[in-house]
Amino acid sequence: GQGAQQPGMAASLYRDEPVFAGALDECLACLAPHADPALRELLISTECGEEAGDRLRRTDFAQPALFAVEYALTRLLASWGVRPAVTIGHSVGEFAAACASGALPLETAAALVAKRGALMQSLPPGVMLSVSAEPERLREALPQGLDLAAVNAPTLCVVSGPEPLIASFQAI
């Protein structure tokens, strides 16, 4: 998931696994009209500096990078005979899962992921907080400026918003 990406994270698979390399190249070609051309180098170079890590932390780089690696991994696993009966993903993984299942063409998914990453990057920064509470109780307690972002279980939710507001809410 987002936050786990690192410069050169696909380097060894790209070097050692031709199916992975071909799928990554295919995906990067589909991303090319929509994403920064430096993406390829960020994924497969082992000579990246600190600036590369900073770029990959940007959502407009991170989401296409993660999608490309996820897509290439699904193709590599398929070449080994691993074919899922069902696919599911979270966030960018939803797009990779949709491609793996055949529900979404790679070209379409690549364009959507790149646009999504660019739109998210254009928004003000925010943070999330996991809260052990029922969603109804939590909605009543949320101050203006914070949102219930996810309900992960009957008493496990995620709140999102600007960092100062999250910090104040967390202190309550």
Side-chain angles (χ1 to χ4, degrees):
Q2 194 164 336
Q5 69 277 4
Q6 298 293 323
M9 68 183 182
S12 62
L13 282 171
Y14 190 85
R15 180 189 65 237
D16 298 338
E17 296 290 344
V19 170
F20 180 89
L24 188 67
D25 287 342
E26 176 188 18
C27 189
L28 290 172
C30 291
L31 284 165
H34 314 286
D36 193 299
L39 188 59
R40 171 190 234 355
E41 199 62 26
L42 290 172
L43 290 174
I44 63 174
S45 176
T46 56
E47 303 297 319
C48 296
E50 189 174 315
E51 181 187 320
D54 292 342
R55 289 180 93 181
L56 260 184
R57 280 187 282 283
R58 291 176 46 105
T59 304
D60 53 342
F61 278 87
Q63 291 194 358
L66 289 166
F67 172 73
V69 171
E70 291 168 352
Y71 174 79
L73 284 170
T74 66
R75 297 285 300 276
L76 178 60
L77 290 170
S79 77
W80 293 342
V82 178
R83 291 190 171 72
V86 176
T87 60
I88 190 168
H90 172 73
S91 190
V92 172
E94 293 170 321
F95 294 98
C99 282
S101 72
L104 189 62
L106 175 59
E107 298 80 9
T108 304
L112 289 170
V113 167
K115 184 65 171 175
R116 180 182 192 259
L119 287 170
M120 290 179 79
Q121 183 65 37
S122 72
L123 295 172
V127 295
M128 294 188 277
L129 174 67
S130 180
V131 179
S132 295
E134 295 175 351
E136 296 77 25
R137 273 191 60 224
L138 187 56
R139 276 190 192 96
E140 293 169 5
L142 282 179
Q144 187 168 349
L146 295 184
D147 292 300
L148 177 61
V151 177
N152 293 327
T155 59
L156 186 58
C157 299
V158 177
V159 174
S160 65
E163 186 173 3
L165 291 177
I166 291 286
S168 295
F169 185 70
Q170 186 177 14
I172 296 174

